[in-house]
Amino acid sequence: MSQSVSNYLKCGYKALSLLNKPCLQLTQLYQIHSHLIVSGSISDPFAAGKLISQLVSFDHTHAYAVFCRLPHKSTYLWNTVLRSFVENKDSNNALSVYKMMMSSGFLPNNYTFSFVFRGCIDIGDVGFGLLCHAQVIKLGWECYDFVQNGLIHFYVSCDLMRCARMLFDVSLNRDVVTWTAVLNGYVKCGDVGSAKKLFDEMPERNAVSWSVMVNGYVKVGCFKEALEIFNEMQRSGVRPNHAGIVGALSACGSLGALDQGKWIHAYVDRSKMELDTVLGTALIDMYAKCGSVEAACRVFEDMPRRDVYAFTSLISGLSNHGDSVMAVELLKRMGDEGIKPNEVTFICILSACARVGLVDEGLRVFESMNDVYGIKPEVEHYGCLVDLLGRAGLLEQAKDVVRDMPMEPDIYVLGALLNACRVHGDADLGNEMVEGLVSRSLDHSGVHVLLSNIYASANQWDRVERVRKGMVEKDVKKVPGCSLIEVDGVVVEFIAGNRYHVLMEDIELLWIQSDIHLKSHSFDSDILLI
C-alpha cells in the first residue's frame, strides 16, 4: 500500500471518528464531509449514514443532496432522509422520497411507515395514506406497534373514526398514547359520549387523556361536566397539565364560577407554572367573564409577554363591563408594543365604542382597519358599525351602511338595525328590516319578539297581535332564557318557566320583598327588572 493511499485512509478513519463526537457544528460537518470524499469513505454506507444523520439536524436539503450522490444506499438511509423531511415540515418531499424508495427496489420497514403516515397527516393526503395502508398489509407489517399506532393516528387525524376504532379494537399492544389518540379523535368530531365511554374503559390515564376530556366537554358547551372531570382528575392524584388548566379556566369563565377559577389560579402560582400567553389569556378571559375585571388587568400586567390574544381578551372584558375608554386605549398600547390587532380585536373595539356612544372614535377605528392595518372589514365589523350608529340614533346613516355594504348583510347586521329601531321607536323601518329578514329565511324567534316590542312601544297593539299570531302560524319556537350563578362554589342554572328548583319559594319571596322595597322608595321595579 502506498504512503498516499495510507494517508487517505487514515484521514477517512479520523473523520469518521469525529462524527461520534457530540455538539458538532455545521461547518465542522462540512469539513468531515470533505475528508470522507477525499478518502473515499463516503461510499461506505455506515460512514454515509453517520454523516447524513448528523447533517439532517442542521441542513436537511444538504443531507438529501449527499444522499442522492451516494453509490450505495440502504433502508436505514432512506428512513433517515424521510424522517428529516417530515420533521422539517416538508412532507410533500418526504412522500416523494418514499415513492423513489419504492421505485428503486428498496422495501420499506416498520419505521418507514411511521414517517410516511406522519407525512400524510401533515398534508392531509388521505388517498396516499390509504394506499400505504394497503402496502402495509401486503408487506406484512400491520402487526407491528409502530405501524399500528401510525395508522390509528392517521385515521384519527383525518376524522375517519370508524377505521381508527376498528384498528384500535384489534390492536394487541395498546398503550396510553394509543388510547388517548382515539379519545382525542372522538373529541375532535364532537362525539363526547363515545369519548367518555372509551375514557371510562381506559386501564391507565395520564394528564393528557384527562385534559382531552376536559377540553372535549368545553368544546361542546358542557361546562359543568368539564369541571367535574377536572375535579375528578385531581382526586385521582393526577396533576393537571397546561391544556387541562386552560380548559378548566374556560369552563369557569363560561359558568361564572369565580371561586373555582381563583383556586385554579392559586394552583398555577403554587406549581410555578409559566404564565405564557395561552395560560395568561385563559386567566384574563375567566376573570373578565366572572366580573372581576381588576383581577383580569392584574394578570395582564403580570404576563412577561403579551400577544394579540391577551390584548383582545382584556379589551373584550373591559368592553363588556362598561370601561370602553380603557378598551380603546389598549388598542393604542398594542401599537406601542408592536402588536398588530386582528379581526376579533376590531370587533371588540367597535362593540366597546357602541356601548358608550363613542361614534367618532368608532368610525375612526373602522376606517383604520383597512387604511392602517390592511384588514378588510367583514360582515361582523359592519354589524358592529350599524350597532354603533343605531344606538346613537343615527338610523339613516346606519341604513346607508347596510345598503352600501360590499357583501350581503346577515342576520346580525339587520338585527342590529332592527334593535336600533326598537330603542328609538321607528316602527316603519323595523317592519322593513323584518321583511328583509323573512325574505332571507333569517326570521328566528328573537326577530319577531323585537318587532313585537317595537310595535308595543309605539302603542300599535293590533300589529303586536298580528306578530304573535304569525309566530304561532309559522310554528316559531322561542328559546327560553337561562342564567347561571355560583353559590358556595356550586353552579346553579335557572331556566325561564322552570319552577322546579328546590329553593324556588324562598327565591320568589325574596323577589317580592325586593319589589316592595323598591316601590317604597318610589322606584318602578318593572323597569329595573327589564
Side-chain angles (χ1 to χ4, degrees):
M1 181 184 296
S2 66
Q3 185 66 33
S4 59
V5 172
S6 177
N7 289 337
Y8 282 140
L9 289 175
K10 288 180 180 178
C11 179
Y13 292 144
K14 184 177 181 181
L16 186 59
S17 66
L18 289 173
L19 286 172
N20 293 319
K21 291 190 174 183
C23 304
L24 287 171
Q25 301 299 315
L26 184 58
T27 53
Q28 295 173 311
L29 289 173
Y30 287 155
Q31 292 173 347
I32 293 172
H33 184 197
S34 300
H35 284 302
L36 291 175
I37 293 173
V38 170
S39 65
S41 301
I42 194 66
S43 60
D44 180 1
F46 176 75
K50 294 284 288 185
L51 174 65
I52 291 173
S53 297
Q54 291 274 17
L55 277 172
V56 292
S57 302
F58 296 94
D59 187 350
H60 73 286
T61 54
H62 183 76
Y64 179 64
V66 173
F67 170 79
C68 290
R69 289 176 173 80
L70 293 178
H72 305 291
K73 298 179 177 67
S74 65
T75 301
Y76 169 77
L77 287 175
W78 283 102
N79 286 346
T80 301
V81 173
L82 259 173
R83 185 192 68 195
S84 69
F85 278 114
V86 171
E87 290 181 347
N88 284 278
K89 302 300 179 184
D90 193 358
S91 293
N92 282 308
N93 277 327
L95 298 187
S96 297
V97 169
Y98 173 74
K99 294 172 186 177
M100 289 170 54
M101 177 183 182
M102 296 291 289
S103 62
S104 300
F106 285 89
L107 290 178
N109 58 20
N110 56 338
Y111 295 102
T112 310
F113 285 112
S114 66
F115 304 132
V116 170
F117 287 124
R118 281 172 58 189
C120 292
I121 291 170
D122 287 342
I123 63 176
D125 194 335
V126 180
F128 193 73
L130 294 173
L131 176 65
C132 292
H133 189 180
Q135 291 173 336
V136 164
I137 296 172
K138 181 180 178 180
L139 296 172
W141 292 112
E142 69 270 22
C143 61
Y144 284 78
D145 294 348
F146 277 160
V147 179
Q148 283 188 344
N149 285 336
L151 275 166
I152 290 171
H153 280 276
F154 164 71
Y155 283 120
V156 165
S157 299
C158 297
D159 296 333
L160 299 172
M161 284 307 300
R162 182 171 173 270
C163 298
R165 187 57 191 261
M166 288 173 62
L167 283 171
F168 175 80
D169 288 339
V170 300
S171 178
L172 299 177
N173 298 307
R174 299 178 296 192
D175 58 13
V176 66
V177 176
T178 310
W179 282 83
T180 304
V182 179
L183 190 71
N184 190 50
Y186 281 126
V187 166
K188 278 180 58 185
C189 297
D191 188 357
V192 183
S194 296
K196 183 61 167 63
K197 184 177 179 181
L198 183 68
F199 181 77
D200 291 338
E201 297 171 0
M202 289 182 69
E204 178 189 356
R205 301 166 184 166
N206 59 15
V208 177
S209 50
W210 282 99
S211 298
V212 168
M213 282 307 304
V214 171
N215 285 283
Y217 277 123
V218 170
K219 181 181 178 181
V220 298
C222 298
F223 305 114
K224 289 177 67 175
E225 290 81 356
L227 287 184
E228 287 170 2
I229 285 286
F230 182 77
N231 293 332
E232 185 183 343
M233 171 175 58
Q234 295 173 83
R235 288 193 295 269
S236 68
V238 177
R239 293 173 60 87
N241 62 6
H242 186 278
I245 291 287
V246 171
L249 287 171
S250 179
C252 290
S254 298
L255 292 172
L258 181 59
D259 288 344
Q260 176 123 15
K262 286 181 176 179
W263 184 91
I264 295 173
H265 190 184
Y267 175 84
V268 168
D269 290 339
R270 288 196 307 271
S271 303
K272 301 189 183 302
M273 296 180 70
E274 180 187 359
L275 194 63
D276 60 15
T277 53
V278 175
L279 183 54
T281 301
L283 282 166
I284 292 169
D285 185 63
M286 182 275 296
Y287 278 123
K289 287 180 177 177
C290 292
S292 185
V293 183
E294 290 183 2
C297 291
R298 286 196 298 271
V299 172
F300 180 82
E301 297 298 342
D302 289 341
M303 292 175 65
R305 187 175 67 85
R306 293 173 284 271
D307 61 4
V308 63
Y309 302 105
F311 270 97
T312 301
S313 183
L314 185 57
I315 288 171
S316 176
L318 291 168
S319 170
N320 291 333
H321 289 87
D323 198 346
S324 299
V325 175
M326 186 174 177
V328 174
E329 289 176 354
L330 273 179
L331 180 63
K332 300 173 184 176
R333 181 172 169 182
M334 288 180 74
D336 295 338
E337 296 189 14
I339 298 172
K340 181 181 176 181
N342 60 19
E343 293 84 352
V344 180
T345 311
F346 282 106
I347 291 174
C348 297
I349 289 291
L350 290 170
S351 297
C353 293
R355 283 186 169 90
V356 294
L358 297 175
V359 177
D360 293 338
E361 183 69 21
L363 291 171
R364 186 192 65 76
V365 169
F366 184 84
E367 291 172 359
S368 72
M369 284 184 63
N370 191 43
D371 297 343
V372 178
Y373 299 100
I375 298 176
K376 185 178 179 180
E378 298 294 337
V379 67
E380 296 87 358
H381 302 102
Y382 281 99
C384 293
L385 183 60
V386 170
D387 186 45
L388 170 72
L389 296 170
R391 286 179 186 237
L394 304 172
L395 297 183
E396 286 302 319
Q397 287 181 244
K399 188 176 178 181
D400 291 341
V401 170
V402 174
R403 186 188 64 242
D404 298 335
M405 282 175 60
M407 73 284 290
E408 186 76 10
D410 66 359
I411 189 171
Y412 299 105
V413 175
L414 297 176
L417 187 53
L418 179 61
N419 186 60
C421 295
R422 179 190 65 81
V423 172
H424 298 285
D426 194 332
D428 293 333
L429 181 57
N431 186 64
E432 181 184 335
M433 288 299 101
V434 171
E435 289 177 356
L437 289 166
V438 170
S439 67
R440 296 175 173 85
S441 299
L442 299 174
D443 55 325
H444 61 69
S445 62
V447 171
H448 294 282
V449 172
L450 268 177
L451 182 60
S452 175
N453 291 339
I454 291 172
Y455 289 144
S457 299
N459 292 320
Q460 298 180 12
W461 300 107
D462 56 332
R463 291 190 172 186
V464 172
E465 184 64 22
R466 283 204 300 270
V467 172
R468 298 291 181 179
K469 286 183 177 179
M471 290 179 68
V472 174
E473 292 171 359
K474 294 181 180 180
D475 196 28
V476 176
K477 303 296 184 183
K478 186 177 184 299
V479 178
C482 67
S483 62
L484 299 165
I485 186 171
E486 182 187 23
V487 181
D488 296 330
V490 178
V491 177
V492 183
E493 182 178 31
F494 293 94
I495 300 174
N498 187 335
R499 300 175 52 82
Y500 295 107
H501 192 275
V502 65
L503 298 176
M504 183 56 68
E505 291 185 2
D506 294 334
I507 294 170
E508 288 183 338
L509 179 61
L510 180 61
W511 275 117
I512 293 171
Q513 291 173 346
S514 299
D515 185 60
I516 294 172
H517 177 74
L518 289 170
K519 287 180 177 178
S520 68
H521 287 76
S522 301
F523 282 103
D524 187 342
S525 57
D526 291 333
I527 294 176
L528 291 178
L529 292 179
I530 290 173

